[in-house]
């Protein structure tokens, strides 16, 4: 009996030490064939707790269990594949050749257009150099919204059109013209101040009031335009085109300009000029009016001196640049020969002489 109890106790001990959940047939749950098939055909992605998208965290990438082997090509299809490859290569070569031809045609068209544009630009440059075609007017610099006659009417650019060695003198001449315009404006206000003086001592201060104001208005309207075209623009074109005759015309007209400035500085009463004589006359009646007239008289005197200095500078450039009276005469003769008016007069005179004969 004791032996039987010991044997039974040993069997019970063996039963308690064994795993009650372990299967006798399969120790591992992955030994099941269905589980093995599933693990071979699918790759379950790992769960990432830091990814907010639950779908992205739980989505598994499916992989095929075994790569699919390509089907073998039919035994009789070798020739057709090679022929199709050759046909596609020929089509590619043809398409490339067509593209090259199109590119060549476009390049030729662009080259032709560039040549036409360069020819047009060359013609325009020649016309601008000859003076037959001028750029858009930019002087006086009126705003674009102004109506005629307050519009630019000439092209003025000393830096581009005047030789470099004469640009400084040309700018000083431009300042001389601006000072001429300013002095005519100041002369008008000075004459108005003189006309405001009271009539005293027999009306001496009131003499020529209307005449002085009328002439000052006439000077203000005419002299800026006349001076611009008759001596400033003449000198500008002479320096631009290197013409001696323009310089001679400038010397002739500018000499009268200097004489007019000196005459205005003297200030004879009744001539519309606020000079020294008028200033001393106004001093007896009104200090304020006399002050304005004295400023005008000083301005005319300064302009006269400035003009004398400028004509000397221009004459120095004229002598140093090779210009002469003989060259001016030849230019005048050429201009007369090319004038249609003079040619018509010569033909008419010749015809009349032939008829009389």
């Amino acid at each position: 009996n004791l032996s039987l109890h010991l044997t039974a106790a040993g069997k019970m001990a063996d039963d308690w030490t064994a795993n009650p959940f372990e299967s006798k047939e399969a120790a591992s749950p992955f030994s099941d064939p269905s589980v093995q098939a599933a693990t071979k055909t699918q790759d379950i992605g790992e769960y990432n707790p830091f990814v907010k998208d639950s779908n992205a965290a739980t989505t598994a990438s499916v992989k095929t269990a075994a790569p699919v082997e390509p089907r073998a090509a039919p035994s009789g299809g070798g020739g057709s594949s090679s022929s199709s490859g050759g046909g596609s290569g020929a089509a590619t070569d043809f398409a490339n050749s067509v593209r090259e031809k199109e590119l060549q045609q476009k390049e030729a068209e662009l080259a032709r257009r560039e040549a036409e544009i360069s020819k047009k630009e060359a013609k325009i440059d020649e016309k601008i150099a000859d003076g037959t075609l001028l750029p858009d007017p930019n002087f006086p610099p009126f705003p674009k919204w102004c109506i005629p006659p307050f519009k630019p009417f000439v092209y003025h650019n000393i830096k581009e059109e005047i030789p470099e060695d004469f640009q400084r003198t040309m700018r000083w001449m431009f300042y001389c013209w601006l000072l001429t315009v300013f002095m005519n404006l100041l002369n008008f206000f000075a004459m108005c101040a003189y006309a405001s003086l009271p009539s005293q001592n027999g009306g001496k201060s009131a003499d020529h009031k209307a005449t002085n104001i009328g002439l000052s208005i006439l000077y203000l309207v005419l002299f800026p335009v006349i001076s611009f075209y008759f001596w400033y623009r003449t000198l500008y074109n002479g320096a631009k085109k290197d013409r001696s005759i323009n310089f001679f015309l400038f010397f002739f007209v500018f000499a009268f300009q200097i004489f007019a400035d000196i005459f205005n500085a003297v200030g004879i009463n009744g001539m519309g000029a606020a000079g020294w004589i008028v200033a001393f006359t106004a001093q007896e009646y009104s200090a304020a009016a006399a002050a304005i007239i004295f400023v005008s008289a000083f301005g005319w005197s300064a302009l006269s001196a400035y003009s004398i200095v400028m004509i000397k500078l221009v004459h120095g450039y004229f002598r140093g640049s090779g210009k002469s009276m003989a060259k001016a005469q030849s230019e005048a003769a050429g201009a007369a020969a090319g004038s249609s008016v003079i040619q018509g007069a010569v033909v008419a005179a010749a015809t009349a002489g032939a008829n009389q004969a």
Side-chain angles (χ1 to χ4, degrees):
N1 293 330
L2 180 61
S3 62
L4 292 174
H5 287 293
L6 293 173
T7 303
K11 288 182 179 181
M12 291 176 67
D14 291 337
D15 292 337
W16 283 107
T17 58
N19 188 356
F21 298 100
E22 182 179 1
S23 174
K24 299 295 183 180
E25 296 177 357
S28 175
F30 296 101
S31 61
D32 189 354
S34 62
V35 175
Q36 293 178 359
T39 57
K40 289 182 180 180
T41 57
Q42 295 182 355
D43 184 11
I44 300 174
E46 296 180 356
Y47 172 74
N48 189 353
F50 298 101
V51 178
K52 296 180 180 181
D53 190 1
S54 61
N55 294 330
T58 58
T59 302
S61 58
V62 180
K63 297 183 179 179
T64 57
V68 180
E69 297 181 358
R71 294 182 180 180
S75 60
S80 62
S81 63
S82 62
S83 63
S84 63
S88 62
T92 304
D93 294 338
F94 177 75
N96 291 334
S97 64
V98 171
R99 290 195 189 99
E100 289 179 359
K101 289 181 180 179
E102 291 178 354
L103 290 175
Q104 291 176 358
Q105 291 177 357
K106 290 181 179 179
E107 289 177 357
E109 182 67 18
L110 290 174
R112 184 182 64 82
R113 291 181 180 179
E114 289 179 357
E116 290 179 356
I117 293 172
S118 61
K119 288 180 180 179
K120 291 180 180 179
E121 290 179 351
K123 291 181 180 179
I124 292 173
D125 293 338
E126 291 177 359
K127 290 181 179 180
I128 292 175
D130 296 338
T132 56
L133 179 63
L134 297 176
D136 294 335
N138 62 351
F139 187 84
F142 289 113
K144 294 182 179 180
W145 51 264
C146 290
I147 60 175
F150 303 101
K151 289 285 186 181
F153 49 83
V154 294
Y155 181 75
H156 183 267
N157 194 329
I158 295 176
K159 187 176 181 180
E160 292 183 1
E161 296 188 322
I162 304 301
E164 187 175 359
D165 55 346
F166 193 64
Q167 287 182 5
R168 186 177 182 182
T169 305
M170 197 71 236
R171 288 193 182 94
W172 287 350
M173 289 302 303
F174 181 66
Y175 300 150
C176 183
W177 177 78
L178 290 178
L179 185 57
T180 301
V181 177
F182 173 76
M183 284 308 306
N184 281 277
L185 181 62
L186 179 61
N187 182 76
F188 168 73
F189 288 112
M191 285 290 93
C192 291
Y194 182 77
S196 66
L197 295 177
S199 299
Q200 297 179 5
N201 297 333
K204 291 182 179 180
S205 63
D207 290 344
H208 311 292
K209 281 186 176 182
T211 304
N212 287 330
I213 293 179
L215 289 176
S216 64
I217 294 174
L218 183 65
Y219 299 158
L220 179 61
V221 174
L222 293 181
F223 278 0
V225 179
I226 292 174
S227 60
F228 182 82
Y229 278 106
F230 279 79
W231 60 263
Y232 177 75
R233 196 64 184 178
T234 300
L235 179 63
Y236 187 94
N237 291 330
K240 173 185 174 182
K241 301 178 181 179
D242 193 22
R243 298 180 63 180
S244 299
I245 188 172
N246 285 65
F247 279 85
F248 273 97
L249 292 174
F250 163 77
F251 293 138
F252 179 76
V253 177
F254 198 67
F256 281 96
Q257 177 70 43
I258 296 174
F259 175 77
D261 294 339
I262 296 174
F263 181 81
N264 291 334
V266 173
I268 299 175
N269 192 7
M271 300 302 296
W276 294 108
I277 296 176
V278 177
F280 284 111
T281 303
Q283 189 178 12
E284 301 176 0
Y285 305 101
S286 174
I292 298 175
I293 300 172
F294 270 116
V295 171
S296 176
F298 179 79
W300 285 119
S301 302
L303 180 58
S304 302
Y306 184 68
S307 300
I308 293 172
V309 173
M310 290 310 304
I311 198 172
K312 288 183 177 180
L313 290 176
V314 175
H315 185 264
Y317 174 79
F318 175 81
R319 296 291 298 274
S321 59
K323 298 176 178 61
S324 61
M325 184 64 183
K327 188 176 180 180
Q329 290 176 351
S330 64
E331 291 173 356
S339 176
S340 59
V341 176
I342 295 178
Q343 290 177 358
V346 171
V347 171
T351 304
N355 293 332
Q356 290 179 0

